[in-house]
Amino acid sequence: MRTISAAETAPATYAWAVHAEQLKVRAGRHLAVDGLDLRLRTGVHGLLGPNGAGKTTLMRALATVLKTAGGELTLLGEPVSGRGDLRRVRRELGYLPQDFGFYPRFTVREFVEYMAWLKEMPKASIPAAAQRAVERVGLTAKADAKMKTLSGGMVRRAGIAQAIVNDPQVLLLDEPTVGLDPEQRLDFRELLADIGVDSCVLVSTHLVEDVVAACTDVVLVNEGKLVFQGSPEALMAHGEQGDPGFSPAERGYSALLRRHRGGAA
Amino acid sequence: MTMHPDVAVLARYADGDPGLDEASVWSVESHLETCADCRARLAGQIPDDTRALLDVVGAAVGRGIEAGPAPARRRMAIRRRRLAVTPAPWLTMTAGVLGCAVLLHAIAPDLPSLVLLLAPVAPLPGVAASWNRRTDPAWELVAGTPSAGLGMLLRRTTAVLAVVIPLLALAGARTGAPLAMLLTPCLAFTAASIALGSLIGVRRAAAGLGTVWSVAVVAPSLATAQLPVVLTPGGAAAWAAAAVGMAGFAAARADLFRRLNSAD
């Protein structure tokens, strides 16, 4: 249980938690996100796309880590593409990078508490929030173990814990299921559904089955552009019997990609 | 605040009347939590045996608290520990180089003081390492937090200076170099690397400034065995002015440090 502040129950003054218009972001010299339009509300959104589609670059731009090269990006009603102050938006963000480094000599608890402190949470609430986050990802037994002693899946879960420690309004998870075993993946889907009730969650993955099972909305990108956005059922409806793939969703995925590549060529 | 409960309701609550329905009990209790007057009124209405029971419980709880363990102390603040981790090898290197400079001064006192010559660039390795993709493993996590920016860079720089300045003072005391001529160039170069860092990144700025200083000042003065004009005692005021100017420039460009590109 936690207390709910008046700010949380106040109606939002923006239509979309994440709103990108003609967004352009560079990865090095290459324009990895090139004129992408995206609108996301509360719920769990799955970000799909082939390797090199610009998923990670898009995630970094949404996490306000990378500067945008063009277009408009608005998070929680505040523009973040310019030079303005990012503090207010960043306090409401949770971000798990694809390959995230950590301080090997920190314990899981210290790591999560340090990130909570960097996210400018009130000092008095940090220990309880860190404990709750560690419990939610199922790492309670390892809370006081050093990060360097953890397995890959546990490190991943510690990363998820630091992302959710501040109860973010916008949660960005880049490949969170890598290294998790099948049982942990099921637990993780439950956690996602729980968080997605009142925040906007964007999960990037290349596992189509994960998206169908855990997401209320599918976002498909290719070559830095939005190809498709809709429910998992709508994704499946795009696939036909002859398309490659083992499930309706995979067939829908490959059919949409092929059509996009054909249209671009 | 909710309405004050009726006196009759409060009396029934105090007696533990089973006829009082759950919703009324709940509303009385939630009101009592916020209203000292009603708590006082309730205290005057509870029967004697309940009062005796409450006294016994209160005394027992008090004894239990006194006999129990003391509240756990908060652990050491994590950020202090964090500061000590990343630039440590670079600071060790700086200490080593300054030690060599002191030794060299003792061996060859005719040469211009190496301590003086190296003082401006002494903090640069530590400053470059304190906010850098390569030396901070969690840079991508840290860069997305509200604390990232000039404030964090300054905090880490201060920690580096807190180690480098005493080292310089120590080296100056051993070689007789004037303290003002050690510290003001050191501060000016630190501020300059941050100011220039807002344009090209702190690591590149520190490396560039260090190289320029070595090539343009240190090498010629060692070759000619003469202390350069910029390090003669009269220059302290100019160095101090430069430090303030650079710091002002960096503060004006604070927003450029919030993202990764400009601060790596």
Side-chain angles (χ1 to χ4, degrees), chain B residues 117-185:
Chain B
L117 284 171
L118 290 181
V121 290
L124 294 189
V127 170
S130 62
W131 181 230
N132 184 328
R133 272 192 204 210
R134 288 174 178 78
T135 50
D136 188 349
W139 60 269
E140 196 171 355
L141 285 174
V142 174
T145 63
S147 319
L150 187 62
M152 176 179 282
L153 179 62
L154 289 183
R155 208 159 45 230
R156 293 183 176 184
T157 306
T158 312
V160 170
L161 287 178
V163 177
V164 170
I165 287 179
L167 281 177
L168 279 178
L170 200 67
R174 298 295 294 231
T175 57
L179 195 61
M181 280 323 293
L182 287 173
L183 293 192
T184 47

Side-chain angles (χ1 to χ4, degrees), chain B:
Chain B
M1 192 187 278
T2 46
M3 289 266 289
H4 295 292
D6 195 64
V7 182
V9 173
L10 211 56
R12 287 170 69 192
Y13 176 78
D15 285 337
D17 183 355
L20 201 64
D21 65 277
E22 226 171 280
S24 311
V25 170
W26 184 80
S27 78
V28 167
E29 284 178 348
S30 68
H31 176 77
L32 284 171
E33 281 175 9
T34 58
C35 180
D37 288 346
C38 285
R39 280 202 298 272
R41 223 177 303 155
L42 176 72
Q45 288 183 347
I46 49 175
D48 287 339
D49 53 339
T50 311
R51 193 189 304 273
L53 178 66
L54 282 176
D55 286 344
V56 170
V57 170
V61 169
R63 273 199 305 278
I65 291 172
E66 271 174 35
R73 277 248 188 122
R74 271 299 278 150
R75 283 156 294 145
M76 179 178 77
I78 295 164
R79 56 196 147 133
R80 246 179 291 154
R81 220 181 112 175
R82 166 75 191 84
L83 279 173
V85 179
T86 334
W90 298 94
L91 290 174
T92 317
M93 188 193 81
T94 307
V97 170
L98 283 177
C100 291
V102 173
L103 271 181
L104 203 68
H105 182 81
I107 297 165
D110 300 338
L111 278 178
S113 166
L114 254 187
V115 176
L116 263 182
L117 284 171
L118 290 181
V121 290
L124 294 189
V127 170
S130 62
W131 181 230
N132 184 328
R133 272 192 204 210
R134 288 174 178 78
T135 50
D136 188 349
W139 60 269
E140 196 171 355
L141 285 174
V142 174
T145 63
S147 319
L150 187 62
M152 176 179 282
L153 179 62
L154 289 183
R155 208 159 45 230
R156 293 183 176 184
T157 306
T158 312
V160 170
L161 287 178
V163 177
V164 170
I165 287 179
L167 281 177
L168 279 178
L170 200 67
R174 298 295 294 231
T175 57
L179 195 61
M181 280 323 293
L182 287 173
L183 293 192
T184 47
C186 162
L187 290 178
F189 265 70
T190 306
S193 66
I194 293 173
L196 197 58
S198 71
L199 303 171
I200 59 173
V202 177
R203 188 178 55 88
R204 258 178 264 166
L209 284 171
T211 312
V212 168
W213 179 258
S214 312
V215 172
V217 179
V218 178
S221 69
L222 286 182
T224 59
Q226 269 188 336
L227 201 61
V229 187
V230 287
L231 285 179
T232 48
W239 282 110
V244 171
M246 290 297 180
F249 180 77
R253 303 178 60 85
D255 59 324
L256 286 173
F257 287 95
R258 288 201 196 96
R259 312 253 190 185
L260 205 63
N261 328 36
S262 53
D264 61 350

Side-chain angles (χ1 to χ4, degrees), chain A residues 60 64-66 80 82-84 90-91 95 97 100-103 105-106 110 113-114 117-118 123 162, chain B residues 74-75 78-79 81-82 136-138 140-147 152 156 255-256 258-260:
Chain A
R60 281 185 177 167
T64 71
V65 171
L66 278 185
V80 295
R83 276 171 123 206
R90 281 181 170 176
R91 275 188 210 132
Y95 174 44
F100 75 102
F102 50 85
Y103 308 115
R105 282 190 287 174
F106 273 37
E110 282 170 336
E113 285 187 352
Y114 180 61
W117 177 73
L118 286 180
K123 220 173 173 182
Q162 68 76 25
Chain B
R74 271 299 278 150
R75 283 156 294 145
I78 295 164
R79 56 196 147 133
R81 220 181 112 175
R82 166 75 191 84
D136 188 349
E140 196 171 355
L141 285 174
V142 174
T145 63
S147 319
M152 176 179 282
R156 293 183 176 184
D255 59 324
L256 286 173
R258 288 201 196 96
R259 312 253 190 185
L260 205 63

Side-chain angles (χ1 to χ4, degrees), chain A residues 159-233:
Chain A
I160 298 168
Q162 68 76 25
I164 63 174
V165 68
N166 57 334
D167 288 309
Q169 299 277 307
V170 175
L171 178 60
L172 307 161
L173 303 170
D174 202 350
E175 302 278 0
T177 51
V178 173
L180 300 191
D181 64 37
E183 196 190 355
Q184 291 164 351
R185 289 232 310 265
L186 293 181
D187 290 344
F188 175 67
R189 284 176 194 171
E190 248 170 63
L191 176 66
L192 275 190
D194 189 26
I195 298 169
V197 171
D198 53 4
S199 355
C200 170
V201 186
L202 184 62
V203 190
S204 128
T205 176
H206 54 262
L207 295 174
V208 180
E209 40 166 327
D210 264 0
V211 170
V212 175
C215 300
T216 51
D217 185 46
V218 181
V219 177
L220 177 58
V221 293
N222 186 36
E223 290 163 357
K225 289 189 173 61
L226 185 70
V227 175
F228 165 85
Q229 184 175 6
S231 65
E233 291 73 30

